[in-house]
Amino acid sequence: AAGVIQSPRHLIKEKRETATLKCYPIPRHDTVYWYQQGPGQDPQFLISFYEKMQSDKGSIPDRFSAQQFSDYHSELNMSSLELGDSALYFCASSLGAQFSNEQFFGPGTRLTVL
Amino acid sequence: LAKTTQPISMDSYEGQEVNITCSHNNIATNDYITWYQQFPSQGPRFIIQGYKTKVTNEVASLFIPADRKSSTLSLPRVSLSDTAVYYCLVGDNNSGYALNFGKGTSLLVTP
Protein backbone atom coordinates (compact mmCIF):
# COMPACT_ATOMS: atom_id res chain seq x y z
CA ALA A 1 0.00 0.00 0.00
CA ALA A 2 1.14 3.52 -0.71
CA GLY A 3 2.67 5.35 2.20
CA VAL A 4 3.53 8.93 3.03
CA ILE A 5 6.53 10.12 1.06
CA GLN A 6 8.94 12.71 2.36
CA SER A 7 11.80 14.33 0.55
CA PRO A 8 14.61 14.75 0.97
CA ARG A 9 15.37 12.05 3.50
CA HIS A 10 18.50 13.83 4.67
CA LEU A 11 19.46 17.48 4.47
CA ILE A 12 22.51 19.34 5.67
CA LYS A 13 22.41 23.12 5.88
CA GLU A 14 24.50 25.90 7.34
CA LYS A 15 23.23 28.37 9.92
CA ARG A 16 21.08 31.13 8.49
CA GLU A 17 20.33 29.15 5.33
CA THR A 18 16.87 28.11 4.20
CA ALA A 19 15.40 24.65 3.71
CA THR A 20 12.28 23.24 2.12
CA LEU A 21 10.87 19.88 3.13
CA LYS A 22 8.26 18.15 1.04
CA CYS A 23 5.51 15.72 1.97
CA TYR A 24 3.30 13.65 -0.29
CA PRO A 25 0.35 12.20 1.61
CA ILE A 26 -1.29 8.86 1.03
CA PRO A 27 -3.60 9.12 -2.01
CA ARG A 28 -7.05 10.48 -1.10
CA HIS A 29 -5.86 11.72 2.29
CA ASP A 30 -6.89 15.34 2.69
CA THR A 31 -5.08 16.24 5.92
CA VAL A 32 -1.37 16.73 6.47
CA TYR A 33 0.48 17.25 9.74
CA TRP A 34 4.06 18.28 10.44
CA TYR A 35 5.98 17.20 13.54
CA GLN A 36 9.49 17.96 14.76
CA GLN A 37 11.49 15.53 16.87
CA GLY A 38 14.77 16.70 18.33
CA PRO A 39 17.47 14.28 19.50
CA GLY A 40 16.18 12.30 22.47
CA GLN A 41 12.93 14.25 22.44
CA ASP A 42 9.32 13.34 21.83
CA PRO A 43 7.61 14.47 18.61
CA GLN A 44 6.24 18.01 18.76
CA PHE A 45 3.37 19.13 16.58
CA LEU A 46 4.12 22.07 14.30
CA ILE A 47 1.19 22.67 11.97
CA SER A 48 -1.54 20.92 10.03
CA PHE A 49 -3.65 21.46 6.93
CA TYR A 50 -7.05 20.17 5.95
CA GLU A 51 -8.26 20.62 2.39
CA LYS A 52 -5.45 23.08 1.71
CA MET A 53 -6.36 25.32 4.65
CA GLN A 54 -4.40 25.56 7.89
CA SER A 55 -6.36 23.61 10.44
CA ASP A 56 -4.24 23.66 13.58
CA LYS A 57 -1.05 25.30 14.74
CA GLY A 58 1.39 24.13 17.34
CA SER A 59 4.86 25.22 18.34
CA ILE A 60 5.99 26.31 14.91
CA PRO A 61 8.57 29.11 14.95
CA ASP A 62 7.80 32.27 13.02
CA ARG A 63 10.80 31.46 10.81
CA PHE A 64 8.91 28.46 9.50
CA SER A 65 5.96 28.45 7.15
CA ALA A 66 4.02 25.74 5.42
CA GLN A 67 1.29 25.22 2.92
CA GLN A 68 -0.73 22.48 1.30
CA PHE A 69 -1.10 22.55 -2.45
CA SER A 70 -3.97 21.65 -4.76
CA ASP A 71 -2.62 18.11 -5.17
CA TYR A 72 -2.58 17.84 -1.34
CA HIS A 73 1.18 17.65 -1.03
CA SER A 74 2.66 19.97 1.55
CA GLU A 75 5.89 21.88 1.96
CA LEU A 76 7.53 23.13 5.12
CA ASN A 77 9.74 26.15 4.51
CA MET A 78 12.36 26.95 7.08
CA SER A 79 14.40 30.14 7.02
CA SER A 80 17.27 31.57 9.07
CA LEU A 81 18.13 28.09 10.22
CA GLU A 82 19.56 27.70 13.70
CA LEU A 83 21.56 24.89 15.24
CA GLY A 84 18.53 23.99 17.34
CA ASP A 85 16.51 23.26 14.23
CA SER A 86 18.51 20.07 13.75
CA ALA A 87 15.90 17.35 14.12
CA LEU A 88 13.82 14.72 12.43
CA TYR A 89 10.83 16.23 10.71
CA PHE A 90 7.88 13.92 10.22
CA CYS A 91 4.92 14.44 8.01
CA ALA A 92 1.74 12.51 8.62
CA SER A 93 -1.51 12.28 6.70
CA SER A 94 -5.03 11.22 7.49
CA LEU A 95 -8.41 10.98 5.84
CA GLY A 96 -10.33 13.74 7.52
CA ALA A 97 -9.13 16.11 10.21
CA GLN A 98 -10.21 14.56 13.47
CA PHE A 99 -8.24 13.39 16.46
CA SER A 100 -9.79 9.93 16.17
CA ASN A 101 -8.60 9.51 12.58
CA GLU A 102 -5.45 7.43 12.33
CA GLN A 103 -2.43 9.40 11.28
CA PHE A 104 0.03 7.70 8.96
CA PHE A 105 3.58 8.94 9.36
CA GLY A 106 6.25 9.23 6.72
CA PRO A 107 9.87 8.12 7.17
CA GLY A 108 10.96 11.61 8.13
CA THR A 109 13.54 14.11 6.92
CA ARG A 110 16.66 14.37 9.02
CA LEU A 111 17.81 17.99 9.01
CA THR A 112 21.28 18.80 10.25
CA VAL A 113 22.22 22.45 10.70
CA LEU A 114 25.94 23.12 10.93
CA LEU B 1 -6.23 18.77 26.73
CA ALA B 2 -6.18 15.92 29.19
CA LYS B 3 -2.72 15.39 30.65
CA THR B 4 -1.39 11.86 30.43
CA THR B 5 1.15 10.13 32.67
CA GLN B 6 2.95 6.91 31.76
CA PRO B 7 5.95 5.06 33.17
CA ILE B 8 9.17 6.32 31.66
CA SER B 9 10.48 2.83 30.97
CA MET B 10 9.63 -0.85 31.26
CA ASP B 11 11.60 -4.03 30.76
CA SER B 12 10.28 -7.43 29.69
CA TYR B 13 11.47 -10.79 28.47
CA GLU B 14 10.45 -12.27 25.18
CA GLY B 15 7.17 -14.16 25.29
CA GLN B 16 5.76 -12.28 28.24
CA GLU B 17 2.65 -10.13 28.29
CA VAL B 18 3.36 -6.44 28.81
CA ASN B 19 0.85 -4.02 30.27
CA ILE B 20 1.49 -0.28 30.06
CA THR B 21 -0.85 1.88 32.09
CA CYS B 22 -1.56 5.50 31.28
CA SER B 23 -3.22 7.90 33.71
CA HIS B 24 -5.51 10.62 32.38
CA ASN B 25 -7.42 11.86 35.40
CA ASN B 26 -8.98 14.88 33.70
CA ILE B 27 -10.22 13.08 30.61
CA ALA B 28 -13.28 14.75 29.09
CA THR B 29 -16.53 13.08 28.08
CA ASN B 30 -15.79 13.26 24.36
CA ASP B 31 -12.13 12.26 24.55
CA TYR B 32 -10.74 9.22 22.79
CA ILE B 33 -7.67 7.30 24.00
CA THR B 34 -5.10 6.47 21.35
CA TRP B 35 -1.78 4.64 21.49
CA TYR B 36 1.11 5.01 19.07
CA GLN B 37 4.36 3.08 18.81
CA GLN B 38 7.66 4.54 17.68
CA PHE B 39 10.87 2.76 16.72
CA PRO B 40 14.13 4.75 16.72
CA SER B 41 14.41 7.16 13.79
CA GLN B 42 11.01 6.12 12.44
CA GLY B 43 7.68 7.90 12.47
CA PRO B 44 5.12 6.89 15.09
CA ARG B 45 2.67 4.17 14.14
CA PHE B 46 -0.93 3.85 15.29
CA ILE B 47 -1.55 0.82 17.48
CA ILE B 48 -5.03 1.04 18.91
CA GLN B 49 -7.78 3.43 19.96
CA GLY B 50 -10.72 3.22 22.30
CA TYR B 51 -13.38 5.15 24.13
CA LYS B 52 -14.52 2.76 26.84
CA THR B 53 -14.38 -0.87 27.99
CA LYS B 54 -12.11 -3.08 25.89
CA VAL B 55 -10.80 -2.92 22.36
CA THR B 56 -8.74 -5.64 20.73
CA ASN B 57 -6.99 -5.82 17.38
CA GLU B 58 -4.35 -8.06 15.87
CA VAL B 59 -1.48 -6.49 17.80
CA ALA B 60 -2.81 -5.27 21.14
CA SER B 61 -5.68 -4.84 23.55
CA LEU B 62 -6.77 -1.67 25.25
CA PHE B 63 -8.54 -1.83 28.60
CA ILE B 64 -10.45 1.22 29.80
CA PRO B 65 -12.20 1.15 33.18
CA ALA B 66 -15.61 2.67 33.68
CA ASP B 67 -14.30 5.96 35.09
CA ARG B 68 -11.92 6.30 32.10
CA LYS B 69 -9.28 7.95 34.27
CA SER B 70 -6.71 5.44 33.10
CA SER B 71 -6.15 2.96 30.33
CA THR B 72 -3.91 -0.06 29.89
CA LEU B 73 -2.25 -1.12 26.68
CA SER B 74 -1.67 -4.87 26.68
CA LEU B 75 0.87 -6.46 24.35
CA PRO B 76 0.60 -10.26 24.35
CA ARG B 77 3.74 -12.37 24.11
CA VAL B 78 6.18 -9.61 23.20
CA SER B 79 9.14 -10.21 20.93
CA LEU B 80 12.42 -8.35 20.55
CA SER B 81 10.87 -6.33 17.75
CA ASP B 82 8.38 -4.80 20.19
CA THR B 83 11.20 -2.78 21.72
CA ALA B 84 10.01 0.77 21.10
CA VAL B 85 8.54 3.86 22.70
CA TYR B 86 4.79 3.72 23.33
CA TYR B 87 2.75 6.90 23.55
CA CYS B 88 -0.67 7.33 25.12
CA LEU B 89 -2.66 10.26 23.74
CA VAL B 90 -6.04 11.64 24.70
CA GLY B 91 -8.13 14.04 22.64
CA ASP B 92 -11.49 14.78 21.10
CA ASN B 93 -12.60 15.58 17.59
CA ASN B 94 -13.62 19.16 18.25
CA SER B 95 -10.70 20.84 19.97
CA GLY B 96 -7.82 19.99 17.68
CA TYR B 97 -6.59 17.42 15.25
CA ALA B 98 -2.95 17.16 16.20
CA LEU B 99 -1.30 14.51 18.29
CA ASN B 100 0.27 16.15 21.31
CA PHE B 101 2.90 13.64 22.30
CA GLY B 102 3.93 13.66 25.93
CA LYS B 103 6.55 11.49 27.52
CA GLY B 104 6.14 7.97 26.24
CA THR B 105 7.11 4.63 27.74
CA SER B 106 10.34 3.13 26.50
CA LEU B 107 9.86 -0.64 26.41
CA LEU B 108 12.92 -2.87 26.24
CA VAL B 109 12.37 -6.53 25.40
CA THR B 110 15.29 -8.89 26.00
CA PRO B 111 15.81 -12.58 25.28
Side-chain angles (χ1 to χ4, degrees):
Chain A
V4 175
I5 297 171
Q6 291 188 245
S7 67
R9 292 294 309 278
H10 302 271
L11 191 58
I12 299 175
K13 291 287 186 178
E14 300 277 345
K15 279 173 52 179
R16 292 179 290 277
E17 286 191 323
T18 62
T20 297
L21 310 185
K22 296 184 179 182
C23 169
Y24 298 87
I26 291 172
R28 293 186 298 280
H29 281 194
D30 50 18
T31 308
V32 167
Y33 312 79
W34 287 96
Y35 295 85
Q36 176 193 59
Q37 187 169 26
Q41 303 295 311
D42 305 296
Q44 296 298 311
F45 169 68
L46 294 178
I47 196 167
S48 63
F49 294 86
Y50 168 65
E51 284 290 347
K52 292 152 279 185
M53 299 287 289
Q54 182 181 308
S55 56
D56 206 354
K57 194 172 183 180
S59 52
I60 184 169
D62 292 340
R63 299 177 288 109
F64 294 5
S65 65
Q67 59 181 322
Q68 185 179 31
F69 294 86
S70 58
D71 63 352
Y72 293 98
H73 94 273
S74 178
E75 295 183 5
L76 177 67
N77 299 294
M78 311 160 72
S79 62
S80 303
L81 288 170
E82 302 173 356
L83 296 179
D85 296 328
S86 295
L88 260 173
Y89 290 82
F90 292 108
C91 171
S93 73
S94 67
L95 181 60
Q98 290 189 314
F99 174 84
S100 61
N101 294 348
E102 179 180 348
Q103 292 186 23
F104 295 82
F105 283 76
T109 293
R110 184 174 295 280
L111 173 66
T112 302
V113 181
L114 302 176
Chain B
L1 286 174
K3 178 177 166 55
T4 60
T5 304
Q6 318 172 218
I8 294 296
S9 64
M10 294 183 69
D11 296 329
S12 177
Y13 293 108
E14 271 189 301
Q16 290 190 325
E17 177 183 81
V18 171
N19 296 307
I20 306 174
T21 297
C22 177
S23 297
H24 28 79
N25 290 317
N26 60 337
I27 189 169
T29 302
N30 296 324
D31 282 346
Y32 291 86
I33 301 159
T34 302
W35 287 78
Y36 278 75
Q37 172 193 57
Q38 187 179 29
F39 299 113
S41 298
Q42 294 186 28
R45 184 175 73 106
F46 173 90
I47 302 176
I48 198 166
Q49 181 181 94
Y51 181 78
K52 61 180 180 180
T53 62
K54 176 184 173 182
V55 180
T56 297
N57 61 23
E58 63 276 8
V59 298
S61 294
L62 181 59
F63 298 92
I64 305 169
D67 66 5
R68 304 201 327 124
K69 293 183 183 298
S70 67
S71 59
T72 298
L73 174 72
S74 181
L75 305 172
R77 297 181 299 282
V78 293
S79 63
L80 299 179
S81 62
D82 292 316
T83 294
V85 178
Y86 293 82
Y87 292 96
C88 166
L89 301 108
V90 173
D92 70 66
N93 288 330
N94 297 317
S95 59
Y97 320 116
L99 301 175
N100 290 292
F101 291 91
K103 294 295 182 185
T105 298
S106 181
L107 172 66
L108 175 63
V109 181
T110 54

